[in-house]
Amino acid sequence: MSLPTRRGLPEGGRAACSWEGGRPDRAGPCHRGAGKGIGLAIAETPAAAGATVVAGSHGTTPEPDALVDKGHVSRVPVDRAEPDAAGRLVEAAGGPIDILIDNVGTAPARTGGFLSVTDEEWRRTVDLNLLGAVRVTRAVLPSMPAAERGSVVTIGSVDATLPDPSSSTTARVRPPWWRSPRRSPRRCRRRSESKEAGPKGVRVNTVSPGPVETELWLGGGGVVASVSAAAGTTPEDVVAQASGATVTGRFSKPPEVADLVVLLAGDRASNITGSDFVIDGGLIPTW
């Protein structure tokens, strides 16, 4: 019987993860999308708590490589869009997986509007964001512990519940018709999975961040840069507007999101399933 750490993760537990273009795919002892930002923070936290982390990625960066060098994380080169990627990740774990953290996704700017997006762009988005998550979950669930205990946490987005195209400047390049179809199915699917997997001792939850201090938002070619270019304003103005739309007046930090994910993945949240947890600094109105 493994002893829980202070974070509630089973010491010596197995986590699978994956890096996909630098975006995390969420896997508890199995984690995908851990190359940087939220994904990297998620990979670091269970590793520090004593879990064995297996991370899959299409590419890599110096930060996760450092975790591999320390022996805390094993990396598996995979492209989540490939149908056999999930199987290779699970095979690399080499044993039962306690936690799956699914964090991979893509969020390119769409400055040309609805009519500018091609069938191939829609297919790529659905294949990566939706089918990629379906495949890895289908591969991992049979390997959850025989002791009937496991946890699946998916990283979503507040985009799934922001239908107003005039709600912010970012809507000009990340409009609701592009964001919501990518994010809503993942949250709805996880809730359905929680009903089927719950009687078997497997919990399924989602975490929906708002703006986070990551390259996806703040890096070159990220959301802020794309919005400022489309709106004819400065990146600083865009950050100020996005921050001002929150109650706390700032973006979330990757470790803050990771702490919430690890809490849900561990034993301290053992009676929480089928739920979505928002971490957005109060961005979504409560009325």
Side-chain angles (χ1 to χ4, degrees):
M1 178 177 179
S2 58
L3 297 176
T5 69
R6 62 183 179 87
R7 293 185 180 273
L9 291 175
E11 187 172 3
R14 194 176 305 276
C17 318
S18 88
W19 290 284
E20 176 69 32
R23 293 183 175 87
D25 173 69
R26 318 320 188 254
C30 178
H31 173 56
R32 299 190 310 158
K36 60 181 70 173
I38 296 173
L40 177 61
I42 292 172
E44 290 174 330
T45 305
T52 299
V53 178
V54 179
S57 67
H58 184 252
T60 188
T61 59
E63 292 86 353
D65 282 347
L67 291 178
V68 172
D69 291 341
K70 292 177 181 178
H72 297 160
V73 175
S74 298
R75 189 179 74 85
V76 182
V78 293
D79 182 347
R80 170 177 171 155
E82 297 176 355
D84 64 342
R88 296 203 306 272
L89 185 63
V90 172
E91 182 180 359
I97 293 172
D98 302 284
I99 304 165
L100 169 66
I101 303 172
D102 173 24
N103 177 53
V104 171
T106 180
R110 299 299 178 189
T111 58
F114 176 78
L115 297 180
S116 70
V117 183
T118 66
D119 283 359
E120 181 55 35
E121 288 172 324
W122 278 109
R123 289 191 192 98
R124 171 67 180 177
T125 297
V126 171
D127 199 37
L128 180 63
N129 291 353
L130 179 59
L131 293 181
V134 168
R135 292 176 187 129
V136 74
T137 305
R138 191 168 54 202
V140 166
L141 283 181
S143 74
M144 288 290 181
E148 297 188 346
R149 184 182 69 176
S151 180
V152 178
V153 183
T154 288
I155 308 303
S157 171
V158 294
D159 288 345
T161 54
L162 290 176
D164 184 3
S166 62
S167 62
S168 70
T169 303
T170 60
R172 300 186 187 184
V173 296
R174 301 180 73 212
W177 54 260
W178 179 247
R179 300 179 323 225
S180 296
R182 295 183 296 108
R183 299 299 189 178
S184 299
R186 297 176 74 177
R187 187 174 64 173
C188 293
R189 179 178 50 77
R190 287 307 191 202
R191 286 180 172 176
S192 297
E193 290 168 1
S194 72
K195 302 302 181 184
E196 181 177 345
K200 302 174 184 177
V202 177
R203 298 180 297 105
V204 183
N205 295 289
T206 58
V207 171
S208 295
V212 183
E213 292 181 356
T214 62
E215 283 199 15
L216 176 65
W217 271 91
L218 304 177
V223 173
V224 169
S226 299
V227 171
S228 62
T233 185
T234 67
E236 291 75 16
D237 287 339
V238 174
V239 171
Q241 181 179 2
S243 299
T246 69
V247 175
T248 59
R250 67 174 179 87
F251 284 23
S252 296
K253 301 179 185 300
E256 294 172 330
V257 180
D259 281 345
L260 177 56
V261 170
V262 172
L263 172 65
L264 290 173
D267 294 338
R268 290 189 295 177
S270 59
N271 203 36
I272 298 176
T273 191
S275 298
D276 177 55
F277 290 80
V278 174
I279 174 168
D280 68 349
L283 174 66
I284 297 179
T286 56
W287 58 83

